[in-house]
């Protein structure tokens, strides 16, 4: 029987991270940064709550950092498998993750100057530009509306979420013990103020619906 565990975007609206486990595979849905107040962002410094070596694949709903921002950290901690997303997301994420690393490196540089003056030990950034490049090398862009297998017994299909360029509703098809199931996973949906984006696709017949409802 498949199992879905919530590790982020609970009791808060950032840090999207979900672990889907079947009898054969372990899949991460999103891997986002916690953002907001200092106590919320401190969650980014905690070890990831699972064994990274056991993860078979990662599926990303869209490029916003609260959904993608811990991908370099995941890779820094040893993940080396594929990271699936739409093709536009694979282009946009490079800009956002490099910017995130630049902000962290700058903030740590400022903090370390202060620490040196007070005789305190220096700290390291959450991740660096090198970690970002390593994560980007694993990113695999795929077109909308075409199902493809990501690991044994699990296939996905991206549908347009209409939120930002490349955003997706993810249909996850699970084949296990002759009992097929369909999980529909979405990050943010829609953006009525953006004239260039289409309305979200209509997705039906889900056995499990995982939908962010912040907006």
């Amino acid at each position: 029987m498949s199992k879905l565990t919530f590790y982020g975007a609970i009791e808060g609206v950032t840090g999207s991270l979900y672990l889907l486990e079947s009898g054969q595979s372990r899949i991460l849905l999103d891997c986002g940064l916690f953002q907001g107040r200092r106590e919320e962002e401190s969650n980014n410094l905690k070890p990831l709550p699972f064994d990274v070596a056991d993860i078979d694949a990662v599926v990303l709903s869209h490029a916003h950092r609260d959904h993608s921002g811990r991908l370099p950290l995941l890779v820094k901690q040893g993940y080396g498998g594929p990271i699936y997303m739409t093709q536009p997301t694979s282009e946009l994420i490079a800009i956002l993750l490099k910017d995130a690393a630049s902000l962290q490196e700058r903030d740590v540089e400022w903090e370390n100057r202060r620490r040196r003056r007070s005789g305190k030990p220096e700290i390291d950034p959450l991740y660096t530009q090198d970690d970002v490049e390593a994560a980007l090398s694993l990113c695999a862009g795929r077109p909308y509306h075409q199902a493809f297998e990501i690991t044994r017994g699990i296939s996905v299909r991206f549908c347009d979420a209409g939120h930002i360029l490349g955003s997706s509703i993810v249909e996850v098809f699970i084949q296990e013990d002759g009992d097929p199931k369909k999980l529909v996973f979405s990050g943010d949906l829609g953006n009525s103020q953006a004239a260039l984006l289409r309305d979200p696709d209509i997705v039906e017949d889900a056995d499990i619906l995982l939908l962010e409802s912040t907006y």
Side-chain angles (χ1 to χ4, degrees):
M1 178 180 294
S2 298
K3 176 182 177 183
L4 183 64
T5 305
F6 293 64
Y7 286 121
I10 50 176
E11 299 181 353
V13 297
T14 62
S16 181
L17 178 63
Y18 312 97
L19 175 62
L20 174 63
E21 300 174 86
S22 71
Q24 305 172 33
S25 304
R26 291 164 61 88
I27 309 299
L28 281 187
L29 304 175
D30 279 355
C31 192
L33 278 174
F34 290 96
Q35 296 176 299
R37 293 171 299 180
R38 180 171 296 180
E39 55 267 31
E40 293 171 321
E41 293 189 351
S42 67
N43 288 316
N44 295 316
L45 302 175
K46 297 177 181 179
L48 291 166
F50 44 78
D51 189 342
V52 172
D54 290 340
I55 303 301
D56 297 297
V58 179
V59 180
L60 189 65
S61 64
H62 66 288
H64 277 155
R65 286 184 296 202
D66 59 327
H67 292 261
S68 70
R70 278 190 287 174
L71 287 174
L73 181 62
L74 182 73
V75 174
K76 181 179 180 179
Q77 294 187 8
Y79 179 72
I83 305 171
Y84 295 106
M85 63 200 71
T86 65
Q87 185 60 46
T89 294
S90 70
E91 299 172 13
L92 183 57
I93 199 175
I95 299 171
L96 295 182
L97 291 183
K98 288 176 182 178
D99 182 60
S102 178
L103 289 172
Q104 291 175 50
E105 289 172 331
R106 185 185 64 191
D107 289 347
V108 165
E109 181 180 358
W110 180 88
E111 173 65 16
N112 282 340
R113 286 201 299 268
R114 187 183 68 82
R115 284 172 170 260
R116 285 192 293 269
R117 289 194 298 268
S118 59
K120 295 181 179 179
E122 296 186 17
I123 60 174
D124 295 320
L126 188 63
Y127 52 78
T128 66
Q129 296 290 350
D130 288 342
D131 298 319
V132 170
E133 292 296 341
L136 293 176
S137 72
L138 303 176
C139 291
R142 294 290 187 268
Y144 283 118
H145 306 126
Q146 294 184 18
F148 59 97
E149 187 175 68
I150 62 170
T151 188
R152 186 180 178 188
I154 297 182
S155 299
V156 302
R157 179 167 58 202
F158 294 119
C159 302
D160 198 340
H163 179 59
I164 62 170
L165 180 68
S167 61
S168 63
I169 303 166
V170 185
E171 295 178 291
V172 183
F173 304 95
I174 307 164
Q175 292 286 342
E176 188 172 27
D177 299 326
D179 183 24
K181 296 291 183 183
K182 177 180 173 181
L183 181 151
V184 174
F185 161 62
S186 176
D188 305 306
L189 281 175
N191 188 344
S192 60
Q193 304 304 313
L196 297 180
L197 296 176
R198 294 186 291 269
D199 290 335
D201 286 330
I202 303 300
V203 177
E204 300 176 342
D205 302 323
D207 295 296
I208 305 167
L209 180 61
L210 177 57
L211 176 65
E212 181 168 304
S213 58
T214 304
Y215 305 105

